[in-house]
Amino acid sequence: MYARSSRVKLALIIAVSILIVFLVYLGSSVLVKSTLNGFDVLTHWKGIQQLFQLNQDPYTNSANASLNQFLGTLGKQDDSQPNRFDNPLFAILVYAPLLILKEPQSARIVWMTINVLLLGMIGYSLFKTFRLQKPFWLLVVLGIYVIFGFSSFWPLLTGSSSIVSLLFL
């Protein structure tokens, strides 16, 4: 009897997790398609693509010119601060799995989905670390703040790696 209820509980956890990932992916795709942000992640995606698929040094001026031309075709209009691939090589391990995605919009959607899920993990680990036993409605309000607060929402929109960095603290 106990083994059966634990299997049902595990199946329910897996089903809810898949549903959450699907809903976050759906929300990310709607947000990515409606905004012209996410150029930080595309800078890294294109830099890694130049390094591994085109055998170019992503740190050169010609690679950066190619990068900014690429971002311009996607709608980036602020040329006062051109983007550069300037991460150390060990940092590309975070972005390397995005190379399987051929479309820049797909890379942005997957990156945003990963970051939203990581924000959820960060919030969950904070509650577990401090053993917060608050009413459920307060947890929902704090969860909404964690995702939609400026310090979280802006990195989600721009495609920054600061959420990943926060997770590793």
Side-chain angles (χ1 to χ4, degrees), residues 41-60:
V41 70
L42 292 180
T43 299
H44 298 91
W45 178 75
K46 187 67 173 175
I48 294 170
Q49 187 182 53
Q50 288 171 334
L51 179 66
F52 288 115
Q53 293 176 346
L54 304 175
N55 293 324
Q56 294 177 345
D57 182 0
Y59 300 105
T60 63

Side-chain angles (χ1 to χ4, degrees), residues 151-163:
S151 58
S152 304
F153 196 66
W154 188 249
L156 285 176
L157 281 181
T158 61
S160 173
S161 62
S162 60
I163 295 171

Side-chain angles (χ1 to χ4, degrees), residues 97-115:
L98 295 176
L99 277 181
I100 25 179
L101 305 169
K102 300 299 179 202
E103 293 295 318
Q105 194 170 30
S106 299
R108 286 178 55 208
I109 292 169
V110 168
W111 183 252
M112 185 179 284
T113 302
I114 290 169
N115 279 312

Side-chain angles (χ1 to χ4, degrees), residues 5 20 38 47 54 57 62 66 90 125 158 162 164 166 169:
S5 69
I20 288 171
L54 304 175
D57 182 0
S62 64
S66 170
F90 66 84
S125 65
T158 61
S162 60
V164 176
L166 178 63
L169 283 180

